Amino acid sequence: PSRLSAQRQLHTMLARRAARLEPEAQSVLRVAACAGPAFTLALAAEVAELPEPAVESAWTLLAREQLLQDDHLLLDTVAAAVLQATPVPVAQATHRALAAALQARGERPERVAQHWQSAEVWAPAAAAFAQAAREHAPRDAEVMLLWDRCATAHRRAGQQTEAAVADAAALVAALSVEGERDLQQRIDRMRAAAVTAAERLQLLLVEARAHIN
């Protein structure tokens, strides 16, 4: 409990320090916290809609306020405090702008998908997760997780048919990843969710493949 209390106090202190910054510095700080490893000053300028000299000046201010590491990256504790203090609609708008900007720059689809997901813009999130899954090695365990996230995003977007397709792709990946019990539970969930004849046929085909393997 004392450790959690200390962490809350630290987050509160950092959030108050951030709130005292100039508005432009606050905007850049928020973009940095949301962007994570993808952050660059040029990206911040685009997402925050600020000229690059203003972003550079804001970044210098953040360093002066000891909010950056020695390598001039945002401290993890600072990022966590900023995200915790940021209203959900503002954070979602920032993630939405980041997703669009990173997608236009050809960033890895998995990273783009995560920002669409954080923005709760589900159809583009599903498309990006699907692209990321296709770009992985066929037996990579990560493929199953990406297809699962793709299916979830499709459902959140109201795209049930597309979700069933993603579920089937996740099941195919799971054949080389999950144990028999987890695999059967996955099949049972898919069987319960299958509504159309096409979805049931697709599930039967993947089940047949599972028994063959």
Side-chain angles (χ1 to χ4, degrees), residues 3-209:
R3 183 178 179 181
L4 289 174
S5 177
Q7 188 177 45
R8 281 195 294 267
Q9 289 177 10
L10 175 60
H11 281 190
T12 299
M13 181 189 71
L14 291 171
R16 286 175 179 169
R17 180 180 291 189
R20 291 196 297 267
L21 296 171
E22 298 172 0
E24 290 182 348
Q26 289 186 39
S27 295
V28 173
L29 182 59
R30 183 166 54 249
V31 173
C34 290
F39 178 81
T40 64
L41 295 182
L43 179 65
E46 180 177 350
V47 171
E49 299 181 341
L50 293 170
E52 286 201 31
V55 172
E56 292 171 1
S57 176
W59 202 245
T60 299
L61 176 60
L62 296 180
R64 194 161 59 241
E65 290 291 324
Q66 298 180 316
L67 298 174
L68 307 181
Q69 300 174 162
D70 291 339
D71 54 5
H72 276 248
L73 295 176
L74 191 65
L75 286 162
D76 290 342
T77 50
V78 174
V82 170
L83 291 174
Q84 187 176 336
T86 301
V88 171
V90 175
Q92 288 179 338
T94 304
H95 281 294
R96 186 164 55 248
L98 280 166
L102 291 171
Q103 187 166 296
R105 291 163 182 248
E107 180 60 75
R108 291 188 300 108
E110 186 174 355
R111 182 169 286 169
V112 173
Q114 289 167 352
H115 285 295
W116 284 128
Q117 178 179 263
S118 295
E120 297 190 3
V121 182
W122 298 112
F129 277 128
Q131 183 184 349
R134 294 187 189 103
E135 291 182 3
H136 274 67
R139 291 186 178 274
D140 191 334
E142 186 70 14
V143 171
M144 181 186 71
L145 299 176
L146 289 168
W147 281 121
D148 280 339
R149 291 169 186 163
C150 176
T152 298
H154 275 309
R155 286 193 178 86
R156 296 295 296 270
Q159 300 169 330
Q160 299 304 321
T161 300
E162 292 85 348
V165 172
D167 277 334
L171 177 56
V172 170
L175 297 179
S176 59
V177 177
E178 291 188 328
E180 184 176 346
R181 181 180 177 182
D182 289 337
L183 201 57
Q184 188 58 54
Q185 289 177 345
R186 178 182 289 271
I187 290 172
D188 290 344
R189 288 195 301 271
M190 291 177 62
R191 188 181 289 121
V195 175
T196 67
E199 290 171 5
R200 288 191 288 270
L201 175 60
Q202 187 174 48
L203 177 57
L204 287 171
L205 289 172
V206 181
E207 282 189 80
R209 178 173 174 176

